[in-house]
Amino acid sequence: MISFILMVNKQGQTRLAQYYNYMTISERATLEGELVRKCLSRTENQCSFLEHHQFKVIYRRYASLYFIVGLEEEDVNELSYLEFIHNLVETLDKYFENVCELDIMFNIEKAHFALDEMVMNGSIFETNKATILGQIYALDKAN
Amino acid sequence: MSKSATDVIKGLRKGKIDRTAFLTTVYSEIREEVKSSDLVIKTNAIRKLFILALEGYDMEWASFHILEVMSSDKFSQKHSGLLAASQCFKPNSDILFLATNFFRRELVGNNTIDTCISINTLSCIVNADMSKELLNDCVTLLNASKPILRKKVCILFYKLFLQYPDGLIACFERLAEKLRDESPGVVMGTVNTIYELSRINPSFVLFTAQALYEILNTTTNNFVIIKLIKLFIELVKVEPRLLKKISIPFTRILTSNPAKSVEFEVIMAICVLFHDSDDMLRIILQKLPGFLDSHDPNLKYLGLVILHKLIQINIEYAEEYKIFIMEALQSKDVTIRLRALELIKITTTSKSLVETIKNLLIEVEKPTNAGIKEELISSCLYLLSFNQYELVEDFKWMFEVLLQIVNFKTEIHEAQLSSIMLDVVLRVEELREDACELSLNTLEIFDTLKSEKCEALTALIFIIGEFSSYFNEENLGRALSLVTKPRWELLNFHESVYNALSSCVFKIFIRAKEDRIFDACVKKLQENSVQIEHMESQERSLLYLNILTTADKEKLNFVLKPFLPIHPSAQNFIFPPDALQQNFIVNDDELFTTKSDGTIEYYYYREEDFGDIPMTDQEKKVAKQNIKDKQMQDPYYIKPKKGKKKKGKKSKKLEEKVEEIKENPDIIKDEEAKKPPSPKKYSVNRAEPLIPT
């Protein structure tokens, strides 16, 4: 079960934050800051997995944005979550057509919706891009 | 003109303006706008607030406004409201009561996409009461025509069950039917929920095993395969016969599936379930270099995780892969170093201990390891004290290592460190002489050893005091001059240090018994009793001072003889003196109390106590009953065993017993054998199952 999914840029500004276990605002802010600092200190040659307090953290950098997934479990298949992050980015890419950080900033609600189509309750339940995109287009129509 | 959300973002991006000032203005604007009755303005305010939440501003005060926006008919407004709600509604806040009806309307509504976004938010914020209310509506949705709704509801069920477990029994079968749904998304959702439930109570979900097996054989979705593998591990715990059945699909997946993540998952599963099977292990060993030798650091990391599991199965693998572990410890990547540390903990033998500790201590001093210093030191301590010091061959070397670690000054490990030091010096007699000398050397620089609780310092002082008989002339002098230095008071150590110092001074004198140092000791104790602020330390100093100055020097000899430990059954032969036998009353006030209306309430009901108090039989009865009532209500009172208490149980006197033992030493063994076997201890199951089976 995923505990949180974050998209944080290199300056430490959070662009998207979805928490699946309740944490107070101050806890969230500290967590995000510390994680981004840890991610920034790592190079390309190092693995994408971290341990932070009780969390296992999987992250990947796409241009200026860090996609961070945190779990509180013991036996975690880190590679599958890395694949999930890639899936998420590809989906956003297809929808926004060459997605960049600005797209997410100005369309935060749509980005949240796309994420909610893939992960709910901390479980990944849909990975088929076509299905997810179909939903997002339906959302556009409803708006 | 109010800003829109986009304007806020654009505003934040402008480099020249002051961010905080801008945000504060926006925030105060929002506070005004959100109170407006026009939904458009309100929604706008909520949207802006949502952006501010990313900057760390609290949204909770606007909960009621968010609820109003959510209830709007316009989709975009509803969506903004729901999104804000999922971020900021606290789990137990009152607003959720009001929201329940809203969600019920949404769940039964006709508009698919409205229901979808409501379910999204619901999964974030649902609490126990809401679960109870909304469960039935969710079950209806399980049969919705649109697969998207069915899918979402399946996932939602997990949260509902967590909050309202009683609902589980009623609805679970309906949920399990969805495993055979035609839409793969629904199946995936159901598998997810069942997996999470199996972690709590596997026997409850066991009946779905057949369906899950079929899915395992047919699905092509890697995420589903991974979840199923994890699920089966849980199920095998309660149904071992499944093991045989799943070995076929597992082997198939291991050899045919190209995805590394699936491969990893299957390998881990096999290590857990099939650790006896040589064929399976052989395949894994073939696959392992694919991970360890890879250029991809992620795969290297996973390789180390697999290695960890393999070594736990069979320690022989450690030898083959030693090189990998050593390399990993030197890696530039912190995460990999941590993994290597875990591996070192389980692969060190007594032969390799010295080398390993040396390497670890070198690593601690490297600046690149500042982040994992704690882990490195705790690994050292773990290895040294493993299984009652099983790995250690040279205790003098071990003590030196411990003193080295003291110099690293880690506060977290100080308690463990000092207890290991004391333990090992107390138990290993041969070590004592060297330990004293080494401790003395370290204590010369006691200024630098100050910490919050000074446990290490206290331990060292204790050692040189307790075992000062091992000192030669010169060292004794050194020790004495060390503990009598005036610098100790100036540095304001923790209380326990001063306590230990007083005892140490006393013990040093006792060992040496020379007059010339008598004055020095007395003087020091006198100073301690006045200069040190802590009451306990002053008390002790005065105590020792009194003993030294008033007691007869010969009588102090009793302190010299070492106390040896006494076997517990031998302790039973030592009876407390008669004065303590009867439960004498210390304080008459405890016997009874006079209540406000003048009546007297008695506390004690034992016959021997009532002897002195004039009480009628009726009063005694009442007093006894009072006590019994109090005890019944007290949850911590341990009820005595039924049966008469035998008075005067210990009939034989101490001397007679000792005579008996001298004649027949085996009597102690017989006494032990006569004791009834100790009662079975039931382990506490901390993972309390949702449904008691």
Side-chain angles (χ1 to χ4, degrees):
Chain A
M1 227 188 85
I2 304 179
S3 291
F4 56 83
I5 299 181
L6 306 170
M7 296 183 200
V8 191
N9 78 356
K10 282 197 203 168
Q11 274 97 27
Q13 291 162 331
T14 316
R15 293 303 172 205
L16 185 145
Q18 179 75 289
Y19 287 85
Y20 298 100
N21 284 327
Y22 181 75
M23 284 172 80
T24 61
I25 292 267
S26 50
E27 283 174 8
R28 294 182 189 191
T30 9
L31 180 70
E32 288 158 23
E34 286 173 7
L35 279 179
V36 111
R37 239 174 290 136
K38 276 194 174 171
C39 292
L40 282 171
S41 60
R42 297 170 73 82
T43 67
E44 287 294 318
N45 296 335
Q46 295 176 350
C47 64
S48 304
F49 316 132
L50 285 180
E51 282 177 40
H52 180 82
H53 298 316
Q54 76 272 33
F55 294 112
K56 286 223 167 105
V57 175
I58 298 113
Y59 75 94
R60 198 175 223 173
R61 187 180 70 84
Y62 288 89
S64 58
L65 213 55
Y66 281 96
F67 284 75
I68 302 175
V69 172
L71 294 104
E72 237 175 318
E73 290 177 357
E74 277 296 321
D75 285 321
V76 168
N77 188 336
E78 286 97 343
L79 215 51
S80 68
Y81 288 104
L82 208 54
E83 283 176 20
F84 156 71
I85 293 178
H86 195 72
N87 201 352
L88 172 63
V89 176
E90 280 188 343
T91 315
L92 289 175
D93 191 48
K94 238 184 173 167
Y95 174 65
F96 286 111
E97 268 146 45
N98 287 329
V99 69
C100 63
E101 190 184 338
L102 289 174
D103 289 323
I104 300 184
M105 279 167 68
F106 285 103
N107 297 294
I108 182 113
E109 296 187 351
K110 293 212 185 108
H112 261 277
F113 188 76
L115 187 60
D116 282 335
E117 285 304 309
M118 295 178 81
V119 183
M120 204 165 82
N121 260 348
S123 317
I124 305 170
F125 71 95
E126 183 60 71
T127 50
N128 186 326
K129 287 205 255 302
T131 327
I132 301 169
L133 286 170
Q135 274 294 99
I136 308 183
Y137 293 137
L139 173 82
D140 280 345
K141 269 197 211 144
N143 253 334
Chain B
M1 214 186 73
S2 71
K3 299 190 182 69
S4 78
T6 329
D7 294 329
V8 171
I9 303 174
K10 284 193 191 145
L12 284 173
R13 279 175 50 87
K14 286 203 188 115
K16 290 182 196 156
I17 54 153
D18 181 9
R19 276 181 79 89
T20 340
F22 180 71
L23 284 172
T24 332
T25 351
V26 174
Y27 192 62
S28 41
E29 280 175 17
I30 292 175
R31 286 195 91 107
E32 283 307 311
E33 288 174 14
V34 89
K35 294 180 201 158
S36 122
S37 47
D38 182 0
L39 271 180
V40 176
I41 302 181
K42 225 186 182 87
T43 317
N44 200 19
I46 298 291
R47 285 201 186 121
K48 286 189 280 187
L49 195 51
F50 186 71
I51 296 172
L52 253 57
L54 288 175
E55 302 286 334
Y57 281 79
D58 185 25
M59 271 207 276
E60 220 211 324
W61 53 269
S63 305
F64 194 69
H65 303 292
I66 294 178
L67 189 58
E68 285 184 3
V69 172
M70 266 159 61
S71 320
S72 145
D73 288 322
K74 259 194 102 176
F75 176 77
S76 54
Q77 290 167 352
K78 185 180 289 205
H79 187 202
S80 305
L82 280 168
L83 202 54
S86 69
Q87 291 286 316
C88 80
F89 279 8
K90 283 214 181 86
N92 287 320
S93 63
D94 298 323
I95 194 83
L96 293 177
F97 282 125
L98 301 167
T100 316
N101 268 328
F102 162 75
F103 280 113
R104 178 175 285 142
R105 270 202 327 267
E106 292 299 319
L107 285 176
V108 300
N110 278 327
N111 194 332
T112 314
I113 203 147
D114 279 357
T115 321
C116 277
I117 56 176
S118 307
I119 297 182
N120 285 344
T121 306
L122 199 56
S123 69
C124 291
I125 62 173
V126 70
N127 68 2
D129 294 315
M130 287 172 90
S131 299
K132 211 161 149 187
E133 303 279 318
L134 299 171
L135 194 63
N136 284 325
D137 298 310
C138 292
V139 173
T140 332
L141 269 177
L142 273 177
N143 291 325
S145 50
K146 292 252 163 64
I148 173 81
L149 285 174
R150 298 201 297 267
K151 179 173 65 172
K152 288 203 176 226
V153 147
C154 285
I155 305 263
L156 179 62
F157 264 108
Y158 176 60
K159 229 11 192 326
L160 293 177
F161 290 154
L162 269 187
Q163 297 289 334
Y164 181 54
D166 295 332
L168 184 65
I169 318 170
C171 310
F172 187 63
E173 287 197 20
R174 301 286 305 279
L175 179 65
E177 285 168 23
K178 292 294 140 200
L179 278 176
R180 300 189 192 270
D181 196 288
E182 68 237 356
S183 159
V186 181
V187 173
M188 187 172 184
T190 322
V191 167
N192 264 313
T193 310
I194 296 183
Y195 168 64
E196 297 291 339
L197 286 171
S198 75
R199 287 173 67 202
I200 302 174
N201 188 351
S203 37
F204 187 73
V205 302
L206 192 56
F207 72 91
T208 55
Q210 182 63 29
L212 293 169
Y213 185 74
E214 283 166 30
I215 301 173
L216 184 63
N217 281 328
T218 52
T219 185
T220 52
N221 185 330
N222 285 340
F223 285 99
V224 177
I225 297 179
I226 291 175
K227 274 273 141 66
L228 283 170
I229 295 175
K230 287 188 175 199
L231 231 182
F232 273 111
I233 296 181
E234 299 295 327
L235 289 179
V236 165
K237 287 183 192 162
V238 288
E239 181 55 81
R241 289 175 296 179
L242 275 176
L243 205 61
K244 230 178 174 182
K245 273 206 106 179
I246 60 175
S247 61
I248 309 158
F250 274 24
T251 332
R252 177 181 54 83
I253 295 171
L254 184 57
T255 46
S256 63
N257 197 310
K260 280 277 185 221
S261 52
V262 179
E263 209 179 292
F264 173 71
E265 194 62 48
V266 169
I267 293 179
M268 293 296 274
I270 291 178
C271 289
V272 171
L273 299 176
F274 294 102
H275 43 85
D276 320 329
S277 160
D278 282 330
D279 302 326
M280 298 278 210
L281 287 178
R282 213 178 315 133
I283 309 180
I284 295 181
L285 287 171
Q286 280 173 352
K287 298 267 179 185
L288 188 54
F291 284 93
L292 285 175
D293 288 332
S294 156
H295 290 295
D296 185 350
N298 294 331
L299 292 179
K300 261 208 178 88
Y301 172 87
L302 292 176
L304 289 173
V305 176
I306 299 176
L307 196 56
H308 190 110
K309 273 256 151 61
L310 278 176
I311 292 181
Q312 280 176 331
I313 298 176
N314 187 345
I315 195 97
E316 287 168 9
Y317 296 123
E319 205 43 54
E320 279 179 62
Y321 293 97
K322 209 185 181 125
I323 312 168
F324 286 109
I325 303 178
M326 287 282 96
E327 249 180 43
L329 192 59
Q330 307 290 332
S331 153
K332 292 202 188 95
D333 189 343
V334 171
T335 325
I336 292 196
R337 268 180 274 162
L338 280 173
R339 283 281 126 218
L341 209 55
E342 293 293 314
L343 279 167
I344 286 178
K345 273 206 242 185
I346 54 172
T347 57
T348 310
T349 62
S350 44
K351 291 198 185 67
S352 57
L353 183 68
V354 180
E355 191 65 35
T356 313
I357 300 273
K358 198 169 85 175
N359 284 334
L360 286 177
L361 290 177
I362 295 174
E363 294 294 323
V364 173
E365 289 176 15
K366 286 188 189 162
T368 48
N369 280 330
I372 57 170
K373 193 171 160 190
E374 311 292 328
E375 277 85 11
L376 282 168
I377 295 182
S378 65
S379 309
C380 285
L381 291 176
Y382 172 82
L383 284 172
L384 286 174
S385 58
F386 178 68
N387 205 7
Q388 311 252 356
Y389 317 108
E390 187 186 355
L391 300 172
V392 179
E393 287 174 359
D394 181 2
F395 280 95
K396 182 176 175 202
W397 163 83
M398 177 186 171
F399 200 77
E400 283 169 356
V401 166
L402 290 172
L403 287 177
Q404 230 182 322
I405 299 179
V406 167
N407 280 325
F408 288 139
K409 283 193 262 305
T410 47
E411 303 249 349
I412 303 179
H413 297 112
E414 232 189 312
Q416 193 190 4
L417 188 58
S418 57
S419 79
I420 295 177
M421 273 200 289
L422 288 172
D423 196 31
V424 95
V425 172
L426 283 169
R427 287 199 196 176
V428 182
E429 272 193 56
E430 295 85 9
L431 176 59
R432 288 176 188 172
E433 189 178 338
D434 295 312
C436 284
E437 177 138 10
L438 291 166
S439 310
L440 195 56
N441 293 339
T442 315
L443 275 176
E444 305 268 288
I445 46 151
F446 64 82
D447 313 25
T448 56
L449 292 178
K450 184 174 177 182
S451 70
E452 200 182 310
K453 289 206 186 135
C454 299
E455 280 132 341
L457 202 47
T458 320
L460 290 172
I461 299 173
F462 174 84
I463 292 175
I464 63 169
E466 183 72 16
F467 303 111
S468 48
S469 47
Y470 291 90
F471 278 141
N472 58 22
E473 276 293 319
E474 182 197 336
N475 281 337
L476 196 62
R478 268 173 74 198
L480 184 62
S481 62
L482 181 68
V483 296
T484 48
K485 273 202 181 126
R487 201 154 161 65
W488 288 99
E489 281 84 62
L490 291 173
L491 287 176
N492 246 339
F493 291 105
H494 187 259
E495 187 184 337
S496 46
V497 172
Y498 296 114
N499 295 346
L501 266 182
S502 309
S503 314
C504 187
V505 169
F506 179 66
K507 287 178 200 171
I508 289 181
F509 170 72
I510 296 299
R511 305 281 184 241
K513 286 194 293 181
E514 289 175 34
D515 287 331
R516 61 187 169 91
I517 65 173
F518 179 75
D519 292 328
C521 293
V522 165
K523 180 166 167 242
K524 178 67 184 175
L525 286 173
Q526 269 172 341
E527 282 173 11
N528 272 4
S529 63
V530 177
Q531 286 179 358
I532 300 173
E533 290 167 352
H534 307 288
M535 296 304 297
E536 170 76 23
S537 313
Q538 288 190 10
E539 176 83 29
R540 288 204 196 187
S541 310
L542 280 173
L543 171 71
Y544 292 130
L545 191 59
N546 276 320
I547 298 178
L548 278 185
T549 47
T550 58
D552 201 350
K553 297 256 173 50
E554 279 74 40
K555 286 194 183 152
L556 288 175
N557 281 333
F558 81 89
V559 182
L560 277 179
K561 296 211 182 85
F563 286 164
L564 297 170
I566 303 179
H567 196 274
S569 53
Q571 288 182 26
N572 282 336
F573 296 133
I574 302 170
F575 307 118
D578 279 346
L580 286 177
Q581 291 292 17
Q582 300 156 18
N583 298 306
F584 63 86
I585 298 156
V586 177
N587 183 358
D588 271 351
D589 291 341
E590 292 174 8
L591 266 185
F592 59 83
T593 178
T594 315
K595 288 204 277 208
S596 49
D597 54 350
T599 56
I600 299 178
E601 190 184 326
Y602 291 101
Y603 289 143
Y604 283 82
Y605 69 95
R606 285 170 295 205
E607 282 298 331
E608 49 262 42
D609 302 326
F610 286 148
D612 286 324
I613 304 164
M615 274 170 84
T616 63
D617 278 330
Q618 182 59 25
E619 283 173 336
K620 281 187 197 172
K621 240 188 186 170
V622 169
K624 279 189 199 176
Q625 197 53 38
N626 276 344
I627 305 302
K628 280 201 181 136
D629 289 335
K630 268 208 184 113
Q631 285 170 350
M632 288 303 129
Q633 284 164 12
D634 184 2
Y636 297 109
Y637 178 70
I638 303 171
K639 300 185 185 26
K641 282 191 211 151
K642 292 219 171 112
K644 286 194 200 152
K645 257 197 237 174
K646 292 188 198 152
K647 286 197 185 171
K649 186 179 175 183
K650 12 120 206 77
S651 42
K652 291 184 182 169
K653 288 280 177 189
L654 177 62
E655 289 89 20
E656 286 177 17
K657 272 270 179 176
V658 170
E659 286 300 314
E660 255 191 43
I661 297 173
K662 276 194 185 151
E663 286 168 52
N664 181 10
D666 289 326
I667 209 171
I668 297 179
K669 285 187 202 151
D670 294 339
E671 290 272 348
E672 289 252 287
K674 270 197 226 158
K675 267 193 235 167
S678 51
K680 230 205 282 182
K681 288 195 174 73
Y682 293 95
S683 55
V684 177
N685 185 2
R686 298 208 183 277
E688 182 108 59
L690 282 185
I691 316 291
T693 44

